[in-house]
Amino acid sequence: MDVAVIQMEPRILERDENLETMARLLGAVAHADIAVLPELCPCGYAFSSQDEVDAMAEDAYTGPTSSLLQDLARENEQVIACGYAERKGDAVYNAQLLVGPGGVMASYRKVHLFNTEKSFFSPGNAFYVSQPYKGIRMGLMVCFDWFFPESMRTLMLMGADIVLHSANLVLPYCPDAMVTRCLENRVYAVTSNRTGYERGLHFIGTSQITAPDGTIMRRLSREKEEAATACVDPCLAHDKHVTARNDILQDRAVGAYRL
Ligand code: ACM
């Protein structure tokens, strides 16, 4: 199956323009089975007030982002993961929507909030892994979650074969670190990052598709809005052997991990 990584530069608070850009970039990878867009893609990242966040927050099922992505997922027979600001009751989450040809599959709420996000968003408290889709199980993760090895380990133990990672990276470490995260869990990852400058923040691009053996299958530029695809084989993620006698699931020494 083909997975697509999409890199773009959202404009802060310009949702209509961002949705147009998302649709255009998704159009270039309409043949892919799964496509991943960056964190907070329809609204931008560097909010300066709760009013700004509230104005951009949307319902997971009926909001403008969800409506557009549901239409495109149905038309292209594709699964799409995309970061957005989710409104649920009184709370707003830095969330990631997963939609497929049959509609909304999940909204994952970022567990590990980064820096000023803590002023505007409530943290999530649960990870999510899908049922098999064309033989692959998708785990969801948003940006700074990667910094905690427990995130991808939890997703792998829950059964994920591929981690769909929507990001707005400002620190330089993640693309190289994903090699280790994928290797130690024997899973694929699609890290979809944004580019550009916003209110003094610089985002590093270098979106990436990483294989279970740590191979960097695709790495995008630092600056450009672009998309790329790679062919993934779920069997590689199902095989947890690193040597004939080392299976990373069977070799976990759970009794020795007590703190
Ligand atoms: C981040 O979590 N957006 C750095």
Side-chain angles (χ1 to χ4, degrees):
M1 64 157 47
D2 283 334
V3 300
V5 61
I6 297 174
Q7 179 165 287
M8 76 175 253
E9 180 178 354
R11 311 283 167 188
I12 185 83
L13 309 180
E14 298 290 345
R15 182 161 53 209
D16 290 349
E17 185 185 339
N18 294 331
L19 292 180
E20 267 177 41
T21 308
M22 289 159 57
R24 175 171 55 75
L25 290 165
L26 279 164
V29 292
H31 63 284
D33 300 286
I34 301 170
V36 186
L37 287 151
E39 179 183 11
L40 295 173
C41 202
C43 52
Y45 182 80
F47 294 108
S48 64
S49 69
Q50 192 66 48
D51 284 348
E52 285 187 351
V53 180
D54 289 345
M56 290 289 110
E58 311 178 29
D59 185 81
Y61 291 87
T62 58
T65 301
S66 186
S67 302
L68 172 73
L69 295 182
Q70 288 182 66
D71 287 349
L72 292 175
R74 195 171 40 246
E75 273 167 36
N76 298 335
E77 292 189 32
Q78 187 177 56
V79 167
I80 304 169
C82 177
Y84 75 119
E86 181 192 354
R87 154 77 57 200
K88 182 73 180 172
D90 288 339
V92 182
Y93 298 94
N94 181 343
Q96 188 186 32
L97 193 65
L98 189 71
V99 301
V104 174
M105 299 168 71
S107 184
Y108 160 68
R109 295 162 180 167
K110 185 176 185 178
V111 168
H112 302 99
L113 297 176
F114 182 72
N115 205 357
T116 53
E117 293 170 30
K118 292 185 178 191
S119 304
F120 301 125
F121 296 106
S122 300
N125 60 10
F127 286 99
Y128 168 85
V129 174
S130 74
Q131 292 302 308
Y133 173 77
K134 300 189 179 179
I136 206 160
R137 295 183 72 181
M138 299 168 283
L140 300 185
M141 189 167 87
V142 176
C143 204
F144 192 54
D145 283 330
W146 80 268
F147 212 96
F148 298 81
E150 295 90 341
S151 305
M152 277 183 67
R153 178 48 55 104
T154 301
L155 291 172
M156 183 274 275
L157 292 174
M158 289 170 71
D161 303 309
I162 186 166
V163 173
L164 311 183
H165 183 202
S166 295
N168 275 189
L169 296 163
V170 289
L171 301 177
Y173 318 112
C174 179
D176 288 343
M178 289 309 283
V179 170
T180 305
R181 289 284 173 277
C182 289
L183 193 54
E184 68 198 2
N185 290 295
R186 311 299 287 188
V187 294
Y188 287 95
V190 182
T191 299
S192 170
N193 191 29
R194 63 163 289 178
T195 57
Y197 290 85
E198 191 178 279
R199 295 178 169 173
L201 287 179
H202 174 242
F203 300 91
I204 67 164
T206 50
S207 297
Q208 183 168 297
I209 301 176
T210 317
D213 66 356
T215 303
I216 296 173
M217 302 175 79
R218 298 283 180 276
R219 183 176 272 189
L220 303 186
S221 68
R222 292 184 67 82
E223 298 93 16
K224 282 197 293 242
E225 287 191 325
E226 55 187 337
T229 61
C231 183
V232 304
D233 176 0
C235 295
L236 283 187
H238 295 157
D239 180 3
K240 299 300 185 194
H241 283 92
V242 248
T243 72
R245 295 181 59 181
N246 293 103
D247 176 298
I248 60 156
L249 276 177
Q250 283 169 14
D251 285 0
R252 292 181 73 238
V254 178
Y257 300 154
R258 278 194 300 266
L259 298 178

